[in-house]
Amino acid sequence: MYQQGYEDIFEGHQMGIGAWAWGDRLVWGYGKGYSLADLREVFEISIRSGITFFDTAEVYGQGESENILGQFLETTQQKIFIATKFMPFPWRLNRQALINALKGSLKRLRVEQVDLYQIHQPLPPINIETWMEGMIEAVQRGMTRAVGVSNYDLDQMQRAFDRLIRDGIRLASNQVEYHLLNRKIEKSGLLQRANELGIKIIAYSPLAMGVLTGKYTPDSPPSGIRGARYNKRVLLKIQPLLNLLKEIGEQHYKTPAQVALNWVICKGALPIPGAKTRSQAEQNAGAIHWRLSENEVALLDEISDQVTQE
């Protein structure tokens, strides 16, 4: 058995939708500022715009995200790419736990197979190789088309790749935080190695928790966890980058957010911004079917380096 490379799995997908907020009341306040009807609209707008990649996880909303996506899948004939994740909690002690968790995800999603099953975090005590053996079984049983990881560093990603390839299965993806304010995967060599091995980088939080949209200012920073990370001092420092995103956007008739997302695409990664409302879905859709020039990408890289240096 030999599985095809990620090019076949991800072909036709420039962008996906991250469904962390779907059904999550604790972090995102599902049911207060947005509803099931809003999410259904997001789903429909995204599909009409050509975005058919949806990324969820068993822990998002304690399974509610998968459940909501499963409801929506029953309303369309469109082929949807479904990616979900397994959380290796410390009490999950063998590969059968992965198979059982995937069965639960399939039931909530109302499907017999997902396109991509990912390990959510490289948590102890079970080693990477054991979880990859569980993934191999999941592929062999037809429960997932492809295997991915998330939040794996360069060494962890290589170990996952090495164990899978022994059974003729390629590691399809590594989902990591990647955006203009966090380019660690470029600096560490992870992005280059992923490209060499044919591993797709899926970029979560591609708008830096909304900061790259330009809607926050030093006098009006985000609240909660986001505000602690992107406080007034940080927002002051990154103004040159935000100004450049706006300037480039005006030349393309695009918003700063659409430029920031397109930058991720130009880097060869697949961004999965979240979307809770119609306007967010439409904003995301405006980031595809066009491309920044090489000079614009290089200029964004340069200013990004300047504003993110400690």
Coordinates of all heavy atoms in Angstrom, one line a residue, residues 45-137:
I45 N -22.2 30.4 2.2 CA -21.4 31.4 1.5 C -20.0 30.9 1.1 O -19.5 31.1 0.0 CB -21.3 32.7 2.3 CG1 -22.6 33.4 2.4 CG2 -20.2 33.7 1.7 CD1 -22.7 34.5 3.5
S46 N -19.4 30.2 2.0 CA -18.1 29.7 1.8 C -18.1 28.7 0.6 O -17.3 28.8 -0.3 CB -17.6 28.9 3.0 OG -17.4 29.8 4.1
I47 N -19.1 27.8 0.5 CA -19.2 26.8 -0.6 C -19.4 27.6 -1.9 O -18.8 27.2 -2.9 CB -20.3 25.8 -0.3 CG1 -19.9 24.9 0.9 CG2 -20.6 25.0 -1.5 CD1 -21.0 24.0 1.3
R48 N -20.3 28.5 -1.9 CA -20.6 29.3 -3.1 C -19.3 30.0 -3.6 O -19.2 30.2 -4.8 CB -21.7 30.3 -2.9 CG -23.1 29.7 -2.8 CD -24.2 30.7 -3.1 NE -24.2 31.8 -2.2 CZ -24.8 31.8 -1.0 NH1 -25.6 30.8 -0.7 NH2 -24.8 32.9 -0.3
S49 N -18.5 30.4 -2.7 CA -17.2 31.1 -3.0 C -16.1 30.2 -3.4 O -15.0 30.6 -3.8 CB -16.8 31.9 -1.8 OG -17.8 32.8 -1.4
G50 N -16.3 28.9 -3.4 CA -15.3 27.9 -3.7 C -14.5 27.4 -2.6 O -13.5 26.7 -2.8
I51 N -14.9 27.7 -1.4 CA -14.2 27.2 -0.2 C -14.9 26.0 0.4 O -16.0 26.2 0.9 CB -14.0 28.3 0.9 CG1 -13.3 29.5 0.3 CG2 -13.3 27.8 2.1 CD1 -13.3 30.8 1.2
T52 N -14.3 24.9 0.2 CA -15.0 23.6 0.6 C -14.2 22.8 1.6 O -14.5 21.6 1.8 CB -15.4 22.8 -0.6 OG1 -14.2 22.5 -1.4 CG2 -16.3 23.5 -1.5
F53 N -13.2 23.4 2.2 CA -12.3 22.7 3.2 C -12.7 23.2 4.6 O -12.7 24.4 4.8 CB -10.9 23.1 2.9 CG -9.9 22.5 3.8 CD1 -9.0 21.5 3.3 CD2 -9.7 22.8 5.1 CE1 -8.0 20.9 4.1 CE2 -8.8 22.2 5.9 CZ -7.9 21.3 5.4
F54 N -13.2 22.3 5.4 CA -13.6 22.7 6.8 C -12.8 21.9 7.8 O -12.8 20.7 7.8 CB -15.1 22.5 6.9 CG -16.0 23.4 6.1 CD1 -16.3 23.1 4.8 CD2 -16.4 24.6 6.7 CE1 -17.0 24.0 4.0 CE2 -17.2 25.5 5.9 CZ -17.5 25.2 4.6
D55 N -12.2 22.6 8.7 CA -11.4 22.0 9.8 C -12.0 22.2 11.1 O -12.3 23.2 11.6 CB -10.0 22.7 9.8 CG -9.1 22.1 10.9 OD1 -8.4 21.1 10.6 OD2 -9.1 22.7 12.0
T56 N -12.2 21.0 11.8 CA -12.8 21.0 13.1 C -12.0 20.1 14.0 O -10.9 19.7 13.7 CB -14.3 20.5 13.0 OG1 -14.9 20.6 14.3 CG2 -14.4 19.1 12.4
A57 N -12.5 19.8 15.2 CA -11.9 18.9 16.2 C -12.8 18.4 17.2 O -13.9 19.1 17.5 CB -10.7 19.7 16.9
E58 N -12.5 17.3 17.8 CA -13.4 16.7 18.8 C -13.6 17.6 20.0 O -14.6 17.6 20.7 CB -13.0 15.3 19.2 CG -11.6 15.3 19.9 CD -11.2 13.9 20.4 OE1 -12.1 13.1 20.6 OE2 -10.0 13.7 20.7
V59 N -12.6 18.4 20.3 CA -12.6 19.2 21.5 C -13.3 20.6 21.3 O -13.5 21.3 22.2 CB -11.2 19.4 22.1 CG1 -10.6 18.1 22.6 CG2 -10.3 20.2 21.1
Y60 N -13.5 21.0 20.0 CA -14.2 22.2 19.8 C -15.6 22.2 20.2 O -16.4 21.4 19.7 CB -14.1 22.6 18.3 CG -12.7 22.9 17.7 CD1 -12.5 22.9 16.4 CD2 -11.6 23.1 18.6 CE1 -11.2 23.2 15.8 CE2 -10.3 23.3 18.1 CZ -10.2 23.3 16.7 OH -8.9 23.6 16.2
G61 N -15.9 23.0 21.2 CA -17.3 23.0 21.7 C -17.7 21.6 22.3 O -18.8 21.3 22.3
Q62 N -16.7 20.9 22.8 CA -16.9 19.5 23.3 C -17.7 18.6 22.3 O -18.6 17.9 22.7 CB -17.6 19.6 24.7 CG -16.8 20.3 25.7 CD -17.5 20.4 27.1 OE1 -18.6 20.9 27.1 NE2 -16.8 20.0 28.1
G63 N -17.3 18.7 21.1 CA -17.9 17.9 20.1 C -19.0 18.6 19.3 O -19.4 18.1 18.2
E64 N -19.4 19.8 19.8 CA -20.5 20.5 19.1 C -20.1 21.0 17.7 O -21.0 21.1 16.8 CB -21.0 21.6 20.0 CG -22.3 22.3 19.5 CD -23.5 21.3 19.4 OE1 -23.5 20.2 20.0 OE2 -24.4 21.6 18.6
S65 N -18.9 21.4 17.5 CA -18.4 21.9 16.2 C -18.6 20.8 15.2 O -19.1 21.0 14.1 CB -17.0 22.3 16.3 OG -16.5 22.7 15.0
E66 N -18.2 19.6 15.5 CA -18.3 18.4 14.6 C -19.8 18.2 14.3 O -20.2 17.9 13.2 CB -17.7 17.2 15.2 CG -16.2 17.2 15.2 CD -15.6 15.9 15.8 OE1 -16.2 15.3 16.7 OE2 -14.5 15.6 15.4
N67 N -20.6 18.3 15.4 CA -22.0 18.0 15.3 C -22.7 19.0 14.3 O -23.5 18.7 13.5 CB -22.7 18.1 16.6 CG -24.2 17.6 16.6 OD1 -24.5 16.7 16.0 ND2 -25.0 18.4 17.3
I68 N -22.3 20.3 14.5 CA -22.9 21.3 13.6 C -22.5 21.1 12.1 O -23.3 21.2 11.2 CB -22.5 22.7 14.1 CG1 -23.2 23.1 15.4 CG2 -22.7 23.8 13.1 CD1 -22.6 24.3 16.1
L69 N -21.2 20.9 11.9 CA -20.7 20.6 10.6 C -21.4 19.4 10.0 O -21.8 19.4 8.8 CB -19.2 20.4 10.6 CG -18.6 20.1 9.2 CD1 -18.9 21.2 8.2 CD2 -17.0 19.9 9.4
G70 N -21.7 18.4 10.8 CA -22.4 17.2 10.3 C -23.8 17.5 9.9 O -24.3 17.0 8.9
Q71 N -24.5 18.4 10.6 CA -25.8 18.9 10.2 C -25.8 19.5 8.9 O -26.6 19.3 8.0 CB -26.4 19.8 11.3 CG -26.7 19.2 12.6 CD -27.2 20.3 13.5 OE1 -28.1 21.1 13.2 NE2 -26.7 20.4 14.7
F72 N -24.8 20.4 8.7 CA -24.7 21.2 7.4 C -24.3 20.3 6.2 O -24.8 20.5 5.1 CB -23.6 22.3 7.5 CG -23.9 23.3 8.6 CD1 -23.0 24.2 9.0 CD2 -25.2 23.4 9.1 CE1 -23.3 25.2 9.9 CE2 -25.5 24.4 10.1 CZ -24.5 25.3 10.5
L73 N -23.5 19.2 6.5 CA -23.2 18.3 5.4 C -24.4 17.6 4.8 O -24.4 17.3 3.6 CB -22.2 17.3 5.9 CG -20.8 17.7 6.4 CD1 -20.0 16.6 7.0 CD2 -20.0 18.3 5.2
E74 N -25.4 17.4 5.6 CA -26.6 16.7 5.1 C -27.4 17.6 4.2 O -28.4 17.2 3.6 CB -27.4 16.3 6.3 CG -26.8 15.2 7.2 CD -27.6 14.7 8.3 OE1 -28.4 15.5 8.9 OE2 -27.6 13.5 8.6
T75 N -27.1 18.9 4.2 CA -27.9 19.9 3.4 C -27.3 20.2 2.0 O -27.9 21.0 1.3 CB -28.1 21.2 4.2 OG1 -26.8 21.9 4.2 CG2 -28.6 20.9 5.5
T76 N -26.2 19.6 1.7 CA -25.5 19.9 0.4 C -25.1 18.7 -0.3 O -24.8 17.6 0.3 CB -24.3 20.8 0.7 OG1 -23.7 21.1 -0.6 CG2 -23.3 20.1 1.5
Q77 N -25.1 18.8 -1.7 CA -24.6 17.7 -2.5 C -23.1 18.0 -2.9 O -22.5 17.1 -3.5 CB -25.4 17.7 -3.8 CG -26.9 17.3 -3.6 CD -27.0 15.9 -2.9 OE1 -26.4 14.9 -3.3 NE2 -27.8 15.9 -1.8
Q78 N -22.6 19.2 -2.5 CA -21.2 19.5 -2.8 C -20.3 18.6 -2.1 O -20.5 18.3 -0.9 CB -21.0 21.0 -2.4 CG -19.6 21.5 -2.6 CD -19.2 21.7 -4.0 OE1 -19.9 22.3 -4.8 NE2 -18.0 21.2 -4.4
K79 N -19.2 18.3 -2.7 CA -18.1 17.5 -2.1 C -17.4 18.4 -1.1 O -16.8 19.4 -1.5 CB -17.2 16.9 -3.1 CG -15.9 16.3 -2.5 CD -16.1 15.1 -1.6 CE -14.8 14.6 -1.0 NZ -14.9 14.2 0.4
I80 N -17.4 18.0 0.2 CA -16.8 18.8 1.2 C -15.6 18.1 1.7 O -15.6 16.9 2.0 CB -17.8 19.1 2.4 CG1 -19.1 19.8 1.9 CG2 -17.1 20.0 3.5 CD1 -18.8 21.1 1.2
F81 N -14.5 18.8 1.9 CA -13.3 18.2 2.5 C -13.4 18.4 4.0 O -13.4 19.5 4.5 CB -12.0 19.0 2.0 CG -10.7 18.4 2.4 CD1 -9.9 17.7 1.4 CD2 -10.2 18.5 3.7 CE1 -8.7 17.1 1.8 CE2 -9.0 17.9 4.0 CZ -8.3 17.2 3.1
I82 N -13.4 17.3 4.7 CA -13.6 17.3 6.2 C -12.2 16.9 6.9 O -11.7 15.9 6.7 CB -14.6 16.3 6.6 CG1 -15.9 16.5 5.8 CG2 -14.9 16.4 8.1 CD1 -16.9 15.4 6.0
A83 N -11.8 17.9 7.7 CA -10.6 17.6 8.5 C -11.0 17.7 10.0 O -11.6 18.7 10.4 CB -9.5 18.6 8.2
T84 N -10.6 16.7 10.8 CA -10.9 16.9 12.2 C -9.6 16.3 13.0 O -8.6 15.9 12.4 CB -12.2 16.1 12.6 OG1 -12.5 16.5 14.0 CG2 -12.0 14.6 12.5
K85 N -9.7 16.4 14.3 CA -8.5 16.1 15.1 C -8.8 15.2 16.3 O -9.9 15.3 16.9 CB -7.9 17.4 15.6 CG -7.6 18.4 14.5 CD -6.9 19.7 15.1 CE -7.1 20.9 14.2 NZ -8.5 21.4 14.1
F86 N -7.8 14.5 16.7 CA -7.8 13.7 17.9 C -6.9 14.3 19.0 O -5.8 14.7 18.7 CB -7.2 12.3 17.5 CG -6.8 11.4 18.7 CD1 -7.7 10.7 19.4 CD2 -5.4 11.3 19.1 CE1 -7.3 9.9 20.5 CE2 -5.0 10.5 20.2 CZ -6.0 9.8 20.9
M87 N -7.4 14.5 20.2 CA -6.7 15.1 21.3 C -6.1 13.9 22.1 O -6.8 13.2 22.7 CB -7.5 16.0 22.1 CG -6.8 16.6 23.3 SD -5.5 17.8 22.7 CE -6.4 19.2 22.3
P88 N -4.7 13.8 22.1 CA -4.1 12.7 22.9 C -4.0 13.0 24.4 O -3.0 13.2 25.0 CB -2.7 12.6 22.3 CG -2.4 14.0 21.8 CD -3.8 14.6 21.4
F89 N -5.2 13.1 25.0 CA -5.2 13.4 26.5 C -4.4 12.3 27.2 O -4.2 11.2 26.8 CB -6.7 13.3 27.0 CG -7.6 14.3 26.5 CD1 -8.7 14.0 25.7 CD2 -7.4 15.7 26.8 CE1 -9.5 15.0 25.2 CE2 -8.2 16.7 26.4 CZ -9.3 16.3 25.6
P90 N -3.8 12.7 28.3 CA -2.9 11.8 29.1 C -3.5 10.5 29.5 O -2.8 9.5 29.7 CB -2.5 12.6 30.3 CG -2.7 14.1 29.9 CD -3.8 14.1 28.9
W91 N -4.8 10.4 29.6 CA -5.5 9.2 30.0 C -5.8 8.3 28.8 O -6.3 7.2 29.0 CB -6.8 9.5 30.8 CG -7.8 10.3 30.1 CD1 -8.7 10.0 29.2 CD2 -7.9 11.7 30.2 NE1 -9.4 11.0 28.7 CE2 -9.0 12.2 29.4 CE3 -7.2 12.7 31.0 CZ2 -9.4 13.5 29.2 CZ3 -7.6 14.0 30.8 CH2 -8.7 14.4 30.0
R92 N -5.5 8.7 27.6 CA -5.7 7.9 26.4 C -4.3 7.2 26.2 O -3.3 7.8 25.8 CB -6.0 8.8 25.2 CG -7.5 9.2 25.3 CD -7.9 10.2 24.1 NE -9.3 10.2 24.0 CZ -10.0 11.1 23.2 NH1 -9.3 11.9 22.5 NH2 -11.3 11.1 23.1
L93 N -4.3 5.9 26.5 CA -3.0 5.2 26.7 C -2.6 4.2 25.6 O -1.6 3.6 25.7 CB -3.0 4.5 28.0 CG -3.2 5.4 29.2 CD1 -3.3 4.6 30.5 CD2 -2.0 6.4 29.3
N94 N -3.5 4.1 24.5 CA -3.1 3.2 23.4 C -3.8 3.6 22.1 O -4.6 4.5 22.1 CB -3.4 1.7 23.8 CG -4.9 1.6 24.2 OD1 -5.8 2.1 23.5 ND2 -5.1 0.9 25.3
R95 N -3.3 3.0 21.0 CA -3.9 3.4 19.7 C -5.3 3.1 19.6 O -6.0 3.7 18.7 CB -3.0 2.7 18.6 CG -3.2 1.2 18.5 CD -2.1 0.7 17.6 NE -2.7 -0.3 16.6 CZ -1.9 -1.0 15.8 NH1 -0.6 -0.9 15.8 NH2 -2.5 -1.9 15.0
Q96 N -5.9 2.2 20.4 CA -7.3 1.9 20.3 C -8.1 3.1 20.7 O -9.2 3.3 20.2 CB -7.7 0.7 21.2 CG -9.1 0.2 21.0 CD -9.5 -0.1 19.6 OE1 -8.8 -0.8 18.9 NE2 -10.7 0.3 19.2
A97 N -7.5 3.9 21.6 CA -8.2 5.2 22.0 C -8.4 6.1 20.8 O -9.4 6.8 20.7 CB -7.4 5.8 23.1
L98 N -7.4 6.1 19.9 CA -7.5 6.9 18.7 C -8.7 6.4 17.8 O -9.5 7.2 17.3 CB -6.2 6.9 18.0 CG -6.1 7.8 16.7 CD1 -4.7 8.4 16.6 CD2 -6.5 7.0 15.5
I99 N -8.7 5.1 17.6 CA -9.8 4.5 16.8 C -11.1 4.8 17.4 O -12.1 5.2 16.7 CB -9.5 3.0 16.7 CG1 -8.2 2.7 15.9 CG2 -10.7 2.4 15.9 CD1 -8.1 3.3 14.5
N100 N -11.3 4.7 18.7 CA -12.5 4.9 19.4 C -12.9 6.4 19.2 O -14.1 6.7 19.0 CB -12.5 4.6 20.9 CG -12.3 3.1 21.1 OD1 -12.7 2.3 20.2 ND2 -11.9 2.6 22.2
A101 N -12.0 7.3 19.4 CA -12.2 8.7 19.3 C -12.7 9.1 17.8 O -13.6 9.9 17.6 CB -11.0 9.6 19.6
L102 N -12.0 8.5 16.8 CA -12.4 8.7 15.5 C -13.8 8.2 15.2 O -14.6 8.8 14.4 CB -11.4 8.1 14.5 CG -11.6 8.2 13.0 CD1 -11.9 9.7 12.6 CD2 -10.4 7.7 12.2
K103 N -14.2 7.1 15.8 CA -15.5 6.6 15.6 C -16.5 7.6 16.1 O -17.6 7.8 15.5 CB -15.7 5.3 16.4 CG -15.1 4.1 15.7 CD -15.3 2.8 16.6 CE -14.6 1.6 15.9 NZ -14.7 0.4 16.8
G104 N -16.2 8.2 17.3 CA -17.1 9.3 17.8 C -17.2 10.5 16.9 O -18.3 11.0 16.7
S105 N -16.1 10.9 16.3 CA -16.1 12.0 15.4 C -16.9 11.7 14.1 O -17.7 12.5 13.7 CB -14.6 12.4 15.0 OG -13.9 13.0 16.1
L106 N -16.7 10.5 13.6 CA -17.5 10.1 12.4 C -19.0 10.1 12.7 O -19.8 10.6 11.8 CB -17.0 8.7 11.9 CG -15.6 8.6 11.4 CD1 -15.3 7.2 11.1 CD2 -15.4 9.5 10.2
K107 N -19.4 9.7 13.9 CA -20.8 9.7 14.2 C -21.3 11.1 14.3 O -22.4 11.4 13.8 CB -21.0 9.0 15.6 CG -22.4 8.8 16.0 CD -22.5 8.0 17.3 CE -24.0 7.8 17.7 NZ -24.1 7.1 19.0
R108 N -20.6 12.0 15.0 CA -21.0 13.4 15.1 C -21.1 14.1 13.7 O -22.0 14.9 13.4 CB -20.1 14.2 16.0 CG -20.4 13.8 17.5 CD -19.5 14.7 18.4 NE -18.1 14.5 18.3 CZ -17.5 13.5 19.0 NH1 -18.1 12.7 19.8 NH2 -16.1 13.4 18.9
L109 N -20.1 13.7 12.9 CA -20.1 14.3 11.5 C -21.0 13.7 10.5 O -21.2 14.2 9.4 CB -18.6 14.2 11.0 CG -17.6 15.2 11.6 CD1 -16.2 14.7 11.4 CD2 -17.8 16.6 11.1
R110 N -21.6 12.5 10.9 CA -22.5 11.8 10.1 C -21.9 11.3 8.8 O -22.6 11.4 7.7 CB -23.8 12.7 9.8 CG -24.5 13.1 11.1 CD -25.4 14.3 10.8 NE -26.3 14.7 11.8 CZ -26.0 15.4 12.9 NH1 -24.7 15.7 13.1 NH2 -26.9 15.7 13.8
V111 N -20.7 10.9 8.9 CA -20.0 10.4 7.7 C -19.3 9.1 8.1 O -19.1 8.7 9.2 CB -18.9 11.4 7.1 CG1 -19.6 12.6 6.6 CG2 -17.9 11.7 8.2
E112 N -18.9 8.3 7.0 CA -18.2 7.1 7.3 C -16.6 7.2 7.2 O -15.9 6.4 7.6 CB -18.6 6.0 6.3 CG -20.1 5.6 6.4 CD -20.5 4.5 5.5 OE1 -19.7 4.1 4.6 OE2 -21.7 4.1 5.5
Q113 N -16.2 8.4 6.6 CA -14.8 8.6 6.5 C -14.5 10.1 6.5 O -15.3 10.9 5.9 CB -14.3 8.0 5.1 CG -12.8 8.2 4.8 CD -12.5 7.8 3.4 OE1 -12.9 8.4 2.5 NE2 -11.6 6.7 3.3
V114 N -13.4 10.5 7.1 CA -13.0 11.9 6.9 C -11.8 12.0 5.9 O -11.2 11.0 5.6 CB -12.5 12.6 8.3 CG1 -13.7 12.7 9.2 CG2 -11.4 11.8 8.9
D115 N -11.6 13.2 5.4 CA -10.5 13.3 4.4 C -9.2 13.4 5.1 O -8.2 13.0 4.6 CB -10.8 14.6 3.6 CG -12.0 14.5 2.7 OD1 -12.0 13.7 1.7 OD2 -13.0 15.1 3.1
L116 N -9.1 14.0 6.3 CA -7.9 14.2 7.0 C -8.1 14.1 8.5 O -9.0 14.8 9.1 CB -7.3 15.6 6.7 CG -6.0 16.1 7.4 CD1 -4.9 15.2 6.9 CD2 -5.7 17.5 7.2
Y117 N -7.4 13.2 9.2 CA -7.4 13.1 10.6 C -6.1 13.5 11.2 O -5.0 13.0 10.7 CB -7.8 11.6 11.0 CG -8.3 11.5 12.4 CD1 -9.2 12.3 12.9 CD2 -7.9 10.4 13.2 CE1 -9.7 12.2 14.2 CE2 -8.4 10.2 14.5 CZ -9.3 11.1 15.0 OH -9.8 11.0 16.3
Q118 N -6.1 14.3 12.2 CA -4.9 15.0 12.7 C -4.7 14.7 14.2 O -5.7 14.7 14.9 CB -4.9 16.5 12.4 CG -5.2 16.9 11.0 CD -5.8 18.3 10.9 OE1 -5.1 19.3 10.7 NE2 -7.1 18.3 10.9
I119 N -3.5 14.6 14.6 CA -3.2 14.6 16.1 C -3.1 16.1 16.5 O -2.4 16.9 15.9 CB -1.8 13.9 16.4 CG1 -1.8 12.5 15.8 CG2 -1.6 14.0 17.9 CD1 -2.7 11.5 16.5
H120 N -3.9 16.4 17.5 CA -4.1 17.9 17.8 C -2.9 18.5 18.4 O -2.5 19.6 18.2 CB -5.3 18.0 18.7 CG -6.0 19.3 18.7 ND1 -7.4 19.5 18.7 CD2 -5.5 20.6 18.5 CE1 -7.7 20.7 18.6 NE2 -6.6 21.4 18.5
Q121 N -2.2 17.7 19.3 CA -1.1 18.2 20.1 C -0.1 17.1 20.3 O -0.6 16.0 20.5 CB -1.5 18.8 21.4 CG -2.4 20.0 21.4 CD -1.7 21.3 21.3 OE1 -0.5 21.4 21.3 NE2 -2.5 22.4 21.2
P122 N 1.2 17.3 20.4 CA 2.1 16.3 20.7 C 2.3 16.1 22.2 O 3.3 16.4 22.8 CB 3.5 16.8 20.1 CG 3.3 18.3 20.2 CD 1.9 18.6 20.0
L123 N 1.2 15.7 22.9 CA 1.2 15.6 24.3 C 1.7 14.2 24.8 O 1.5 13.2 24.2 CB -0.3 15.7 24.8 CG -1.0 17.0 24.6 CD1 -2.4 17.0 25.1 CD2 -0.2 18.2 25.2
P124 N 2.4 14.2 26.0 CA 2.8 13.0 26.6 C 1.6 12.4 27.3 O 0.6 13.0 27.4 CB 3.8 13.5 27.7 CG 3.4 14.9 28.0 CD 2.9 15.4 26.7
P125 N 1.7 11.1 27.7 CA 2.9 10.3 27.8 C 3.1 9.4 26.6 O 4.2 8.8 26.5 CB 2.6 9.4 29.1 CG 1.1 9.2 29.0 CD 0.6 10.5 28.5
I126 N 2.1 9.2 25.7 CA 2.2 8.3 24.6 C 3.1 8.9 23.5 O 2.9 10.1 23.2 CB 0.9 7.9 24.1 CG1 0.0 7.3 25.2 CG2 1.0 6.9 23.0 CD1 0.6 6.2 26.0
N127 N 4.0 8.1 23.0 CA 5.0 8.7 22.0 C 4.3 8.8 20.6 O 3.3 8.3 20.3 CB 6.3 7.9 21.9 CG 6.0 6.4 21.4 OD1 5.2 6.2 20.6 ND2 6.9 5.5 21.9
I128 N 5.0 9.6 19.8 CA 4.5 9.9 18.5 C 4.3 8.7 17.6 O 3.3 8.5 16.9 CB 5.5 10.9 17.8 CG1 5.4 12.3 18.5 CG2 5.2 11.0 16.3 CD1 6.5 13.2 18.1
E129 N 5.2 7.7 17.7 CA 5.2 6.5 16.9 C 3.9 5.7 17.2 O 3.3 5.1 16.3 CB 6.4 5.7 17.1 CG 7.7 6.3 16.5 CD 8.3 7.5 17.3 OE1 7.9 7.7 18.4 OE2 9.2 8.2 16.7
T130 N 3.5 5.6 18.5 CA 2.3 4.8 18.8 C 1.1 5.5 18.2 O 0.2 4.7 17.6 CB 2.2 4.8 20.3 OG1 3.3 4.1 20.9 CG2 0.9 4.0 20.7
W131 N 1.0 6.8 18.3 CA -0.2 7.4 17.6 C -0.2 7.3 16.1 O -1.2 7.1 15.5 CB -0.2 8.9 18.0 CG -0.5 9.2 19.5 CD1 0.1 10.0 20.3 CD2 -1.6 8.6 20.3 NE1 -0.5 10.0 21.6 CE2 -1.5 9.1 21.6 CE3 -2.6 7.6 20.0 CZ2 -2.4 8.7 22.6 CZ3 -3.4 7.2 21.0 CH2 -3.3 7.8 22.3
M132 N 1.0 7.3 15.5 CA 1.1 7.1 14.1 C 0.6 5.7 13.7 O 0.0 5.5 12.7 CB 2.5 7.4 13.5 CG 2.9 8.8 13.6 SD 1.7 10.0 12.8 CE 1.1 10.8 14.2
E133 N 0.9 4.7 14.6 CA 0.4 3.3 14.3 C -1.1 3.3 14.4 O -1.7 2.6 13.6 CB 1.1 2.4 15.3 CG 2.6 2.1 15.0 CD 3.4 1.6 16.2 OE1 2.8 1.3 17.2 OE2 4.6 1.6 16.1
G134 N -1.7 4.1 15.3 CA -3.1 4.2 15.3 C -3.7 4.8 14.1 O -4.7 4.4 13.5
M135 N -2.9 5.8 13.5 CA -3.3 6.5 12.3 C -3.3 5.5 11.1 O -4.1 5.5 10.2 CB -2.5 7.7 12.0 CG -2.8 8.9 12.9 SD -4.4 9.6 12.5 CE -4.2 11.2 13.2
I136 N -2.2 4.7 11.1 CA -2.1 3.7 10.0 C -3.3 2.8 10.0 O -3.8 2.5 9.0 CB -0.8 2.9 10.2 CG1 0.4 3.8 10.0 CG2 -0.7 1.7 9.3 CD1 1.8 3.3 10.5
E137 N -3.7 2.3 11.2 CA -4.9 1.5 11.3 C -6.1 2.2 10.8 O -7.0 1.6 10.1 CB -5.1 1.0 12.7 CG -6.3 0.1 12.9 CD -6.5 -0.4 14.3 OE1 -5.5 -0.3 15.2 OE2 -7.6 -1.0 14.6

